[in-house]
Amino acid sequence: MPRSYGNANCPYFWSTCGHTVFQEPSLYTVKAVFILDNDGNRLLSKYYDKELYPSMKEQKNFEKNVFNKTHKADTDEIAFVEGMTIVYKCSIDLFFYVVGSSQENELMLMAVLNCLFESLGQILRKNVERRCLLDNLDGVFLVVDEIIDGGVILESDPQQVIQKVNYRADENPLSEQSVAQIMQSAKEQIKWSILK
Amino acid sequence: MSLFVEQICQLLGSGSNPFQHLEKSAVLQEARIFNETPINPRRCLHILTKIIYLLNQGEHFGTMEATEAFFAMTRLFQSNDQTLRRMCYLTIKEMANISEDVIIVTSSLTKDMTGKEDVYRGPAIRALCRITDTTMLQAIERYMKQAIVDKVPSVSSSALVSSLHMVKMSYDVVKRWVNEAQEAASSDNIMVQYHALGLLYHLRKNDRLAVSKMLNKFTKSGLKSPFAYCMLIRIASKLLEETEAGHDSPLFDFIESCLRNKHEMVVYEAASAIVHMPNCTARELAPAVSVLQLFCSSPKAALRYAAVRTLNKVAMKHPSAVTACNLDLENLITDSNRSIATLAITTLLKTGSESSVDRLMKQISSFVSEISDEFKVVVVQAISALCQKYPRKHSVMMNFLSNMLRDDGGFEYKRAIVDCIISIIEENPESKETGLAHLCEFIEDCEHTVLATKILHLLGKEGPRTPSPSKYIRFIFNRVVLESEAVRAAAVSALAKFGAQNDDLLPSVLVLMQRCMMDSDDEVRDRATFYMNVLQQKQKALNAAYIFNGLSVSVPGLEKSLHQYTLEPTEKPFDMKSVPLANTPITEQKTEFAPVATSKLPEKPGPTRQDIYQEQLAAIPEFQGLGSLFKTSEAVQLTEAETEYVVRCVKHTFARHMVFQFDCTNTLNDQLLQKVMVQMEPSEAYEVLHYVPAANLPYSQPGSCYSLVRLPEDDPTAVSCTFSCTLKYLVKDCDPNTGEPDDDGYDDEYVLEDLEVTVADHIQKVLKPNFAAAWDEVGDDFEKEETFALASVRTLDEAVGNIISFLGMQPCERSDKVPENKNSHILFLAGVFRGGHDVLVRSRLALADGVTMQVTVRSSDETVVDIILASVG
């Protein structure tokens, strides 16, 4: 076996992005959308461009990469990862991501993200956290389906989305969300009393 | 105490995931309750959710089990629970590709799509179109047309978007719905407007006139949807670009008027469109830049990001247009979003004037320690670009870079800095010694083998030519004592170069070599022994051939040749000249980087283009026995861009033959071409031996045919020739829709442009890192010199460019760059002529009225020298 002695002569190339001047006018705005928990696990994820990350392995790698780059800076709302523009939002233990091409209008992606976030806020009764989201996962699937269809923005007004989905969160006697709410505030209080 | 709190927090935490340990088989088992009567909507809903969740997690469903679950699910249409029905639609869409016979639900969906329940209609249309094919589409065409103009917005939007998805598959059907889409476009609902516009454009985009009419109509009517406005702006700027209309066009006015729209999304889209237009004047840019400037202070991070990213693009072409925003950009350097801060910095580095460089660098130093490696790399790249722009500032930059080099950082970051320093050294001779000193310091404590070997190589190349080479020896020899095998081996090679170049250092180098010959690693010992023996001969030619300028053969080629040699027992020694040469890598790096560094870097170049061609040609029986491929030239177009047939030619040169490869594309969808070949008529004594036709050339699938030509043997100086070329083929007409060809065809031909073979096709580029040594090595046995006047050339740059492209040789010692404000220049070129003879050209250029050029050619073969001089003359 020939051993490789680092060939100092060998140049390597920076991958330079070809700048296409104009993108083809199209309604296909969203490349992907996904929701991760605070360990970076996928809870829901849709890829609309078949050429972008065709295999499950590539998709999960991408999500991991995005998560690593964004979960610490949770106050930011936009990042650029693997040549894609990513807008995101975090709520308690959930991360919401909308992905578009590097040439996409960031504000359009933002409109999608806001619509997704507000619609979920309504069907989950402001209780946008992991447990509650999983308990109402059917509603979440339906909301995403009403906002984006195959990469096209179908609706961007949360009120319209709610109306179309017409979904009611489970109402148990001591409903899940109220328990979670109490837990959340109790958790905060205990934390604060310790920190004082 | 704290442990207790932690436990409580954990207990209170978000709890477990109810879907975490789902078993596919268990879920499918549960799905049997779909068949129970009466249907329990809650339980069924939960199971459908589980199935979709599993699919979403990437769980694989076999066709059998998917089909079974799908058929069970169809029973749920009997329930009238809204959410359950909606989840059925989702399941249909998710399973459309994995289950068989999904069309079974067509009638249920058609019923829902035309039914009374508005909540079902839109989603049912979208699910139905997902499982429909072209033939079935015609059956539901009537319903689709009605749905597009339905007064319920969600129905209309769903129908429009689904139609758009189906354009790719059934263009001919969908295009019949244009009138309905047109009607929908005047809807009051903003999303319907947007979707109708998108569909209309997609159906008409190949008809420029129709697009233009449509734009005209909508820009006047005033749409309400900001999304639709963004779409209009994109269509308008595309049309402007295609028609090359001036900026006095009404379309440009429309885009500019959008800068005053009340939606930020539209304003930004318009500004971005203007910025990206080619040939925009500063006056036209100004309004766009000023809205971007406003956005820089927006509280929304996405808007600030969008603005600074776009300004960054403007700065590439029109740095002066962005200077007005410098203050806003400087505020963004401290932005909490690091992507924004980095973009701001790089933009400032592009727009900053020479005088502001020092201040900027100070600002960066305070900022650089806080950002991640990935962004640091971007900053280094920006600095590198700045160095090229303001070479006089190199000392400031060098200082800065050396500080960065001392900081902690990962491999990519260090590599970017080292590259930047190396490029400064190469651009500015006066910075060489400081730069080398910084790099020497760096390798004293460098954990990255690749960087250490790279720097050692550079030291070996540049160090011996500095005024005091001896000071580098210590740094290099330290490596031999302290580092890993790869670094030690590189250090030995570097040492040898000092010994070869500097006679007074030779004795000490020989002593050090002796020490290296006792190394524990065999590669290090081998190198030391080899160099020791070469150096002891004290012969310039040997030094040049074995120390300064190494082998220039392609490594995969050498491997293949050696393998071949061992297979055929022969008395003859192995001939190095039979090995194909390595293509000189393109070292010119682009300085336009992506806005933020991309993480993937191709570490190992794959097989070169020539290696790939070599494989392809070797597979063709007619071309056996031509020997190894000597050179492959760049492709030449033999047709205009938009003609019926597109043909380009790649010339492959062998020792005594040439193969012309014609890559043909048939752009007519109603023709199938067969037996395609290119007939060639040479102007000189070239002889066409063989044509290898392409058997079939269907619409839009490229194919190749070849011609084999023998080079004239009795007259080696006949290196240039012109061929007149004609494409000959058998045409079979075919149905453009089905692609079915007729049985009978007819012969036809198509005249192509002439093809030139020039001297450059016979010479392969070879980089000689030390040209002077190579010049001595070849010697003056066959040296010839002549003087020419290049009357038509006005500048030295132009002359240098012309000579390089004419001879097709490799410029050495960076002599292809003419320093500014000089009246004379020397260009060094190196190459190998077909047959394996080294050729070196030294060309002295002087600028007076025109350019006068004195060419000196050296080669190991006299004919080659004559050929070069004859072709220049």
Side-chain angles (χ1 to χ4, degrees):
Chain A
M1 271 293 286
R3 224 180 316 166
S4 116
Y5 280 85
N7 179 3
N9 226 347
C10 167
Y12 47 82
F13 302 93
W14 288 105
S15 37
T16 51
C17 273
H19 297 288
T20 38
V21 184
F22 287 112
Q23 62 176 135
E24 181 67 18
S26 145
L27 297 190
Y28 294 95
T29 307
V30 182
K31 297 276 181 199
V33 56
F34 45 89
I35 304 175
L36 307 180
D37 69 9
N38 59 352
D39 297 320
N41 297 317
R42 164 195 284 203
L43 301 180
L44 176 153
S45 130
K46 298 284 286 174
Y47 286 75
Y48 300 108
D49 185 344
K50 286 205 181 62
E51 279 154 31
L52 176 83
Y53 310 117
S55 75
M56 192 56 64
K57 201 176 151 211
E58 289 166 285
Q59 292 180 5
K60 292 205 167 162
N61 268 338
F62 175 64
E63 283 160 31
K64 205 167 163 191
N65 196 0
V66 169
F67 181 75
N68 289 339
K69 296 236 160 66
T70 52
H71 77 286
K72 272 179 239 140
D74 50 11
T75 53
D76 296 359
E77 53 184 30
I78 188 157
F80 189 80
V81 182
E82 295 185 19
M84 310 297 288
T85 301
I86 288 145
V87 293
Y88 62 100
K89 232 183 184 110
C90 138
S91 167
I92 308 177
D93 52 3
L94 290 175
F95 287 83
F96 299 86
Y97 298 91
V98 175
V99 182
S101 89
S102 63
Q103 287 137 29
E104 195 45 77
N105 186 328
E106 290 85 348
L107 302 184
M108 278 172 117
L109 299 176
M110 218 47 212
V112 174
L113 180 67
N114 285 334
C115 178
L116 174 66
F117 193 74
E118 282 171 36
S119 308
L120 291 182
Q122 292 215 23
I123 68 159
L124 304 178
R125 313 227 166 138
K126 303 263 178 252
N127 207 10
V128 186
E129 48 98 31
R130 179 167 169 272
R131 182 61 206 236
C132 189
L133 181 112
L134 286 171
D135 284 339
N136 297 287
L137 198 57
D138 43 357
V140 180
F141 280 132
L142 292 177
V143 163
V144 172
D145 181 62
E146 279 299 343
I147 299 175
I148 310 156
D149 185 272
V152 177
I153 304 175
L154 196 61
E155 182 53 74
S156 65
D157 177 0
Q159 290 314 322
Q160 293 292 328
V161 173
I162 297 302
Q163 211 183 339
K164 286 183 198 170
V165 171
N166 192 18
Y167 177 87
R168 275 181 300 275
D170 275 346
E171 283 190 72
N172 299 327
L174 189 89
S175 68
E176 193 70 56
Q177 65 267 21
S178 59
V179 171
Q181 251 165 2
I182 295 164
M183 292 296 191
Q184 184 60 32
S185 58
K187 191 169 145 189
E188 292 293 312
Q189 267 177 2
I190 293 173
K191 262 192 201 164
W192 279 110
S193 62
I194 304 297
L195 285 170
K196 251 186 248 171
Chain B
M1 173 68 192
S2 74
L3 187 73
F4 170 68
V5 171
E6 221 163 79
Q7 276 174 344
I8 288 189
C9 282
Q10 249 169 27
L11 279 174
L12 294 174
S14 39
S16 64
N17 176 349
F19 296 96
Q20 199 152 41
H21 300 294
L22 280 187
E23 279 280 335
K24 178 179 70 173
S25 50
V27 174
L28 290 174
Q29 191 79 27
E30 276 186 278
R32 299 214 168 139
I33 68 148
F34 292 168
N35 290 319
E36 282 173 17
T37 344
I39 292 166
N40 178 342
R42 271 184 77 88
R43 284 185 65 196
C44 293
L45 190 56
H46 196 58
I47 295 163
L48 280 187
T49 312
K50 284 181 186 171
I51 292 179
I52 299 181
Y53 176 84
L54 284 176
L55 285 168
N56 212 264
Q57 291 294 322
E59 186 79 48
H60 176 75
F61 279 68
T63 314
M64 280 280 281
E65 48 190 10
T67 311
E68 201 173 311
F70 187 87
F71 273 69
M73 183 273 301
T74 55
R75 241 199 109 244
L76 301 181
F77 271 90
Q78 288 173 15
S79 163
N80 278 325
D81 185 277
Q82 268 192 17
T83 313
L84 181 61
R85 182 72 59 88
R86 297 288 314 271
M87 287 301 277
C88 285
Y89 300 149
L90 279 194
T91 316
I92 293 170
K93 289 202 272 189
E94 294 287 336
M95 288 199 158
N97 286 336
I98 43 177
S99 164
E100 281 178 340
D101 300 323
V102 283
I103 49 166
I104 192 99
V105 288
T106 305
S107 64
S108 305
L109 290 173
T110 320
K111 206 172 121 218
D112 282 355
M113 147 183 191
T114 50
K116 288 201 183 75
E117 286 271 19
D118 285 347
V119 269
Y120 290 160
R121 294 174 61 202
I125 293 173
R126 293 191 280 129
L128 179 58
C129 290
R130 184 75 181 75
I131 58 165
T132 299
D133 60 24
T134 307
T135 41
M136 272 177 32
L137 188 60
Q138 295 179 353
I140 58 163
E141 183 171 6
R142 189 161 58 91
Y143 303 122
M144 285 301 289
K145 281 180 164 180
Q146 281 168 6
I148 289 176
V149 293
D150 198 282
K151 62 181 190 309
V152 179
S154 70
V155 175
S156 178
S157 272
S158 296
L160 286 163
V161 172
S162 302
S163 311
L164 180 68
H165 294 327
M166 285 186 304
V167 169
K168 233 178 262 150
M169 180 184 76
S170 330
Y171 176 82
D172 290 324
V173 181
V174 179
K175 100 181 157 197
R176 296 199 290 255
W177 309 344
V178 160
N179 289 335
E180 282 76 15
Q182 189 85 46
E183 194 182 326
S186 46
S187 157
D188 282 341
N189 182 283
I190 56 168
M191 291 320 279
V192 175
Q193 266 182 6
Y194 172 56
H195 297 137
L197 176 67
L199 178 62
L200 280 175
Y201 173 70
H202 211 75
L203 291 175
R204 289 171 173 169
K205 64 181 175 190
N206 293 324
D207 181 352
R208 210 173 275 170
L209 193 70
V211 172
S212 171
K213 268 190 194 157
M214 183 175 91
L215 269 180
N216 198 15
K217 184 178 162 216
F218 287 121
T219 51
K220 287 207 178 89
S221 67
L223 297 169
K224 278 196 295 181
S225 154
F227 292 116
Y229 260 106
C230 290
M231 183 75 184
L232 274 184
I233 292 170
R234 284 182 200 175
I235 300 173
S237 49
K238 184 164 192 283
L239 195 66
L240 269 176
E241 192 201 12
E242 282 176 353
T243 54
E244 290 168 7
H247 294 165
D248 45 358
S249 142
L251 290 178
F252 187 81
D253 294 342
F254 163 71
I255 297 178
E256 201 172 28
S257 73
C258 288
L259 289 174
R260 295 181 289 279
N261 194 290
K262 65 175 191 268
H263 292 280
E264 280 169 342
M265 185 195 290
V266 179
V267 176
Y268 169 63
E269 185 73 44
S272 163
I274 293 177
V275 161
H276 284 100
M277 272 177 206
N279 328 318
C280 234
T281 63
R283 205 170 55 84
E284 285 159 343
L285 273 178
V289 171
S290 60
V291 300
L292 293 174
Q293 185 175 8
L294 275 181
F295 288 165
C296 280
S297 43
S298 160
K300 294 179 196 161
L303 196 51
R304 294 198 303 276
Y305 175 88
V308 69
R309 189 177 67 107
T310 314
L311 285 173
N312 191 15
K313 289 235 174 83
V314 185
M316 284 178 187
K317 274 203 232 148
H318 305 275
S320 57
V322 187
T323 16
C325 310
N326 276 2
L327 208 61
D328 306 77
L329 289 170
E330 281 182 32
N331 287 333
L332 291 181
I333 295 180
T334 51
D335 199 294
S336 63
N337 184 320
R338 284 307 168 198
S339 314
I340 297 177
T342 312
L343 280 169
I345 274 283
T346 48
T347 314
L348 280 169
L349 286 175
K350 281 176 196 135
T351 61
S353 62
E354 188 156 4
S355 54
S356 67
V357 166
D358 298 77
R359 192 167 48 88
L360 265 180
M361 296 307 269
K362 213 169 272 168
Q363 254 172 330
I364 299 174
S365 353
S366 62
F367 153 93
V368 95
S369 57
E370 300 164 15
I371 57 174
S372 72
D373 265 18
E374 200 181 17
F375 288 139
K376 284 180 188 170
V377 172
V378 181
V379 172
V380 173
Q381 287 168 353
I383 292 175
S384 176
L386 197 62
C387 292
Q388 286 180 359
K389 201 161 125 205
Y390 302 123
R392 272 185 296 173
K393 284 286 169 196
H394 66 77
S395 59
V396 183
M397 319 268 188
M398 192 67 98
N399 246 327
F400 183 78
L401 288 169
S402 67
N403 284 332
M404 286 175 106
L405 206 48
R406 280 184 209 120
D407 290 343
D408 290 337
F411 171 64
E412 295 295 343
Y413 173 46
K414 297 281 161 155
R415 177 159 81 171
I417 303 174
V418 168
D419 283 346
C420 185
I421 293 183
I422 292 178
S423 78
I424 296 179
I425 293 174
E426 287 178 342
E427 296 286 333
N428 310 283
E430 65 267 39
S431 69
K432 193 187 283 179
E433 281 190 72
T434 12
L436 289 180
H438 288 314
L439 293 176
C440 282
E441 185 195 318
F442 174 61
I443 53 169
E444 286 284 356
D445 183 20
C446 168
E447 60 194 312
H448 308 294
T449 307
V450 177
L451 293 181
T453 48
K454 185 170 179 144
I455 292 170
L456 284 168
H457 180 81
L458 180 82
L459 284 175
K461 192 167 144 243
E462 301 290 346
R465 293 190 255 179
T466 54
S468 49
S470 59
K471 69 179 172 196
Y472 300 108
I473 300 277
R474 179 172 63 90
F475 291 102
I476 298 174
F477 192 68
N478 277 349
R479 305 279 72 70
V480 179
V481 185
L482 300 167
E483 302 279 352
S484 65
E485 300 85 17
V487 181
R488 295 207 300 272
V492 168
S493 299
L495 271 183
K497 288 182 186 151
F498 281 83
Q501 182 102 357
N502 308 91
D503 289 340
D504 46 332
L505 286 179
L506 184 59
S508 345
V509 168
L510 286 176
V511 172
L512 294 176
M513 279 293 172
Q514 206 109 43
R515 155 79 174 70
C516 296
M517 282 162 69
M518 285 174 283
D519 196 280
S520 60
D521 181 73
D522 48 0
E523 168 81 16
V524 180
R525 280 198 310 274
D526 287 354
R527 286 198 191 189
T529 316
F530 174 72
Y531 290 131
M532 183 84 182
N533 284 301
V534 175
L535 286 171
Q536 278 169 339
Q537 305 302 316
K538 295 186 185 167
Q539 284 183 28
K540 277 233 152 64
L542 282 181
N543 285 348
Y546 297 113
I547 297 183
F548 295 126
N549 303 321
L551 285 176
S552 51
V553 294
S554 118
V555 178
L558 178 61
E559 191 186 341
K560 227 173 272 168
S561 304
L562 284 171
H563 181 67
Q564 195 64 35
Y565 183 74
T566 53
L567 290 181
E568 299 163 2
T570 165
E571 292 293 304
K572 281 195 294 181
F574 181 71
D575 181 11
M576 263 324 254
K577 285 182 181 168
S578 69
V579 180
L581 296 167
N583 289 21
T584 326
I586 308 144
T587 42
E588 197 180 306
Q589 287 183 11
K590 291 263 162 69
T591 45
E592 269 190 34
F593 296 102
V596 175
T598 39
S599 53
K600 291 180 223 154
L601 290 173
E603 272 296 334
K604 278 188 189 150
T608 60
R609 176 170 165 268
Q610 186 161 331
D611 291 336
I612 297 167
Y613 276 126
Q614 166 110 37
E615 292 272 312
Q616 287 174 355
L617 292 176
I620 299 171
E622 280 85 346
F623 304 147
Q624 309 264 315
L626 295 182
S628 66
L629 178 56
F630 176 71
K631 177 174 185 175
T632 293
S633 310
E634 289 301 315
V636 192
Q637 297 292 341
L638 296 183
T639 50
E640 304 276 327
E642 288 174 23
T643 46
E644 298 94 311
Y645 312 114
V646 178
V647 180
R648 53 170 214 161
C649 176
V650 181
K651 293 174 270 186
H652 304 287
T653 311
F654 290 84
R656 279 183 287 279
H657 300 83
M658 283 185 86
V659 170
F660 298 92
Q661 173 181 344
F662 298 95
D663 298 332
C664 316
T665 313
N666 168 14
T667 64
L668 299 177
N669 61 359
D670 56 352
Q671 281 192 358
L672 168 72
L673 305 189
Q674 291 188 325
K675 298 179 196 156
V676 184
M677 58 167 231
V678 176
Q679 186 174 334
M680 305 177 75
E681 297 289 341
S683 65
E684 305 287 325
Y686 283 52
E687 184 188 351
V688 183
L689 295 180
H690 257 306
Y691 290 113
V692 180
N696 276 306
L697 198 60
Y699 164 58
S700 87
Q701 287 175 28
S704 298
C705 56
Y706 302 87
S707 310
L708 174 63
V709 168
R710 180 160 58 210
L711 299 169
E713 267 169 37
D714 40 344
D715 181 13
T717 56
V719 288
S720 53
C721 178
T722 306
F723 292 91
S724 47
C725 304
T726 317
L727 189 67
K728 297 207 162 181
Y729 45 85
L730 179 76
V731 186
K732 284 189 177 170
D733 291 324
C734 51
D735 186 325
N737 290 323
T738 60
E740 208 52 47
D742 290 351
D743 291 337
D744 302 325
Y746 50 92
D747 285 317
D748 202 353
E749 55 180 58
Y750 187 85
V751 177
L752 303 173
E753 285 176 26
D754 287 354
L755 181 67
E756 304 263 358
V757 172
T758 63
V759 64
D761 294 320
H762 302 270
I763 301 177
Q764 179 66 279
K765 293 180 175 190
V766 172
L767 181 70
K768 299 278 182 195
N770 189 329
F771 187 84
W775 187 253
D776 290 341
E777 180 198 344
V778 172
D780 55 3
D781 296 350
F782 303 112
E783 180 180 295
K784 283 193 184 169
E785 194 168 87
E786 246 177 273
T787 307
F788 305 92
L790 308 174
S792 60
V793 182
R794 292 277 141 235
T795 64
L796 289 177
D797 261 332
E798 196 186 344
V800 167
N802 285 352
I803 300 167
I804 294 171
S805 67
F806 180 77
L807 288 176
M809 294 170 72
Q810 176 67 33
C812 299
E813 309 277 339
R814 302 179 66 79
S815 64
D816 51 331
K817 301 236 164 105
V818 182
E820 279 175 46
N821 307 325
K822 285 271 176 67
N823 287 332
S824 61
H825 182 69
I826 306 181
L827 173 67
F828 302 110
L829 295 171
V832 170
F833 196 81
R834 175 171 54 80
H837 295 289
D838 271 330
V839 197
L840 299 172
V841 170
R842 188 182 65 198
S843 161
R844 296 176 196 270
L845 300 160
L847 182 70
D849 272 345
V851 174
T852 316
M853 168 173 82
Q854 184 191 49
V855 181
T856 315
V857 187
R858 283 186 178 187
S859 169
S860 43
D861 182 70
E862 189 169 11
T863 332
V864 176
V865 176
D866 292 334
I867 291 172
I868 302 271
L869 279 178
S871 63
V872 175

